[in-house]
Amino acid sequence: MQPKKERKDVIKSRLRILETAQSLFAEHGINNITMRKIATTAGIGQGTLYRHYAHKGEICQDLIQESSQEFVDKVSSYLQQNKEMSLQGKLVALIHYAVEFIDKHSNWLVYIQGPSCEEGQQIIYKSQVYNFLYAQVYELIAASPSMQNNKDGDAGFRTDALLATLTPDLYLFFKAQRGLTHEKIKQHIVNLYINPLFQQ
């Protein structure tokens, strides 16, 4: 019975941390909130906080977990309902969904990307969304005419290169520094990475 009680306490503590962090991030911005501030506001010790989360990136990852699952479910449902769609059409649709997700959650996702995390851990590449997109995009790229006709083609490298264009910090750079809209970003990704795979 005791382990079950401890489990409930751990869950309760984690939820308190997430609720506190979300409130602080929304009010003051992620950059302006420290782990110490989260612990103090939540009424817990820093040691307790760090036992749950090593840095703000991990907190952000948990905060968008529900949205990540919704994204996976939505895209999976779309692909299931459109099995007869062409490979190229499916890839374009995946890019559309991915860009829309990044655009909506980019401020949170920046803290899941390596350079922004306090310990430099690139946990975005272990995230649910990244791994889901990698699996889906890899399968479609590997089956494309260009890859089928090219024995030296590396579908894995192409997939990682495509998804690297959608990392949150680069996405925000495209918008803020290059003045690109999310529609333009989608168009450039499709033109650069997808269309050439289907040119005869």
Side-chain angles (χ1 to χ4, degrees), residues 13-192:
S13 178
R14 183 178 293 112
L15 288 176
R16 185 187 308 128
I17 292 168
L18 291 175
E19 289 171 358
T20 301
Q22 185 171 30
S23 177
L24 290 171
F25 291 163
E27 183 176 356
H28 303 287
I30 300 172
N31 285 324
N32 299 317
I33 298 301
T34 64
M35 292 290 277
R36 178 188 294 272
K37 178 65 174 177
I38 293 171
T40 301
T41 306
I44 61 174
Q46 287 192 72
T48 299
L49 174 60
Y50 280 106
R51 279 196 293 274
H52 287 289
Y53 299 103
H55 46 72
K56 288 187 289 186
E58 290 186 347
I59 294 176
C60 290
Q61 187 177 40
D62 261 12
L63 285 172
I64 68 163
Q65 185 61 42
E66 185 175 344
S67 294
S68 297
Q69 186 59 55
E70 289 175 358
F71 170 84
V72 169
D73 292 343
K74 184 176 182 179
V75 176
S76 297
S77 177
Y78 177 86
L79 294 174
Q80 181 67 26
Q81 294 171 14
N82 293 275
K83 290 182 178 180
E84 304 307 316
M85 182 182 289
S86 67
L87 295 176
Q88 188 172 7
K90 289 178 182 177
L91 277 167
V92 171
L94 280 171
I95 297 306
H96 168 80
Y97 280 113
V99 169
E100 294 299 322
F101 180 83
I102 296 290
D103 191 69
K104 182 177 180 181
H105 300 289
S106 55
N107 289 331
W108 298 93
L109 291 168
V110 161
Y111 276 87
I112 295 176
Q113 179 143 359
S116 296
C117 288
E118 293 167 10
E119 295 183 358
Q121 299 176 0
Q122 296 184 332
I123 59 178
I124 191 171
Y125 299 109
K126 301 176 183 178
S127 70
Q128 179 185 22
V129 170
Y130 188 91
N131 287 314
F132 171 76
L133 282 173
Y134 181 91
Q136 300 298 323
V137 172
Y138 175 88
E139 181 178 352
L140 294 170
I141 286 180
S144 69
S146 178
M147 295 301 293
Q148 290 294 308
N149 296 329
N150 181 7
K151 301 301 182 182
D152 296 324
D154 188 335
F157 182 86
R158 286 175 180 263
T159 301
D160 278 322
L162 185 160
L163 295 179
T165 310
L166 288 170
T167 50
D169 60 341
L170 184 55
Y171 181 82
L172 291 175
F173 173 80
F174 285 149
K175 292 189 71 176
Q177 303 300 320
R178 299 304 186 207
L180 298 177
T181 65
H182 72 290
E183 289 295 337
K184 271 293 185 182
I185 293 172
K186 282 191 286 188
Q187 181 182 336
H188 286 316
I189 292 173
V190 170
N191 289 340
L192 180 62

Side-chain angles (χ1 to χ4, degrees), residues 1-11:
M1 295 300 293
Q2 186 64 25
K4 185 176 181 180
K5 182 178 186 299
E6 290 177 349
R7 179 180 175 84
K8 287 182 178 179
D9 289 345
V10 169
I11 293 173

